[in-house]
């Protein structure tokens, strides 16, 4: 597997999210040399072989494949593995669909995936290993923490602050200037009209959570 081509990259994960990531990487002129997966059954996804589990990643790096992308939908796992591979010395590029609209004043971290139809408006910030999924809309002055996932069709109004490892579910909306705490989940189709604390799952319109779930 020896390589010294800067476009070569290994993908961590071989499930549904990895499929979308592989196509986006190819659109961004990367050459995906293989995937790692917990399930090492011999197989290919979109023509990419599963080359083993994550234990082989250091060897992959030593063989000259210097870039990696963590393509796992689970926020905590993606963040932890992303940080680990960064510490190993992998380069962790962000991949941005040419069919997205990204403000030139926005800031995008490393290892981020921005899918087709996504919009990120002026002065917004997206943390490391976040996913801005298909048709998600992030208005001006938003801050999205490391490892968070703004799912397909979700809408963040201006000035929204999203903590780390937050899931904003499919088609959910967050009204202006609200904060959603670390590790919270806003369920698909829900509408946040007030702040949501860390670690809770909030659902419905308006989004409600059990107060005994909240920190403190
Ligand atoms: O620690 C791990 C690990 N844990 C599970 N390391 C590696 N390399 N792979 C791991 N996996 C593998 O992730 C599983 O064996 C499985 O092959 C894959 C997860 O696939 P799945 O299709 O279930 O989920 P996903 O994370 O690819 O996608 C989810 O999140 C996306 C954002 C789905 O909910 C998608 O529908 C969604 N679009």
């Amino acid at each position: 597997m020896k390589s010294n081509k800067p476009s070569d990259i290994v993908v961590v994960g071989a499930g549904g999210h990895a499929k979308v990531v592989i196509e986006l990487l190819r659109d961004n002129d990367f050459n995906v040399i293989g995937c790692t997966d917990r399930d090492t059954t011999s197989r290919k996804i979109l023509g990419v072989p599963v080359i083993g589990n994550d234990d082989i990643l250091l060897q992959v790096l030593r063989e000259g494949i210097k870039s990696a992308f963590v393509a796992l939908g689970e926020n905590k796992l993606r963040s932890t593995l992303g940080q680990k591979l960064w510490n190993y010395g992998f380069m962790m590029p962000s991949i941005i669909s040419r069919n997205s609209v990204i403000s030139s004043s926005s800031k995008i971290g490393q290892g981020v995936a921005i899918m087709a139809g996504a919009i990120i408006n002026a002065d917004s910030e997206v943390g490391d290993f976040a996913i801005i999924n298909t048709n998600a809309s992030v208005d001006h002055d938003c801050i999205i923490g490391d490892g968070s996932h703004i799912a397909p069709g979700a809408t963040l109004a201006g000035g929204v602050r999203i903590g780390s490892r937050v899931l904003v579910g499919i088609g959910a909306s967050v009204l202006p200037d609200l904060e959603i705490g670390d590790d919270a989940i806003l369920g698909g189709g829900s509408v946040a009209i007030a702040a949501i604390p860390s670690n809770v799952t909030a659902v419905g319109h308006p989004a409600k959570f059990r107060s005994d779930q909240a920190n403190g």
Side-chain angles (χ1 to χ4, degrees), residues 41-133:
T41 310
S42 174
R43 65 195 189 281
K44 287 186 175 178
I45 59 161
L46 301 180
V48 176
V50 174
I51 56 174
N53 64 24
D54 300 336
D55 295 342
I56 66 161
L57 286 165
L58 264 181
Q59 183 192 330
V60 167
L61 180 63
R62 280 192 213 109
E63 288 180 358
I65 291 135
K66 295 195 169 66
S67 297
F69 198 95
V70 184
L72 297 167
E74 210 281 306
N75 288 339
K76 205 167 271 181
L77 190 55
R78 189 175 64 261
S79 302
T80 306
L81 277 171
Q83 196 56 54
K84 185 170 169 181
L85 299 196
W86 175 253
N87 293 340
Y88 281 178
F90 276 106
M91 289 187 283
M92 316 236 27
S94 288
I95 42 172
I96 297 177
S97 168
R98 67 182 89 233
N99 295 313
S100 61
V101 178
I102 313 293
S103 161
S104 58
S105 59
S106 65
K107 294 194 184 80
I108 312 291
Q110 61 177 354
V112 173
I114 301 180
M115 307 305 190
I119 298 175
I120 299 179
N121 273 340
D123 270 342
S124 283
E125 296 179 18
V126 178
D128 298 341
F129 312 117
I131 304 170
I132 311 299
N133 221 322

Side-chain angles (χ1 to χ4, degrees), residues 163-183:
S164 297
R165 302 168 301 279
V166 171
L167 172 61
V168 178
I170 288 183
S173 303
V174 183
L175 269 55
D177 300 320
L178 294 180
E179 183 160 1
I180 300 191
D182 295 344
D183 300 291

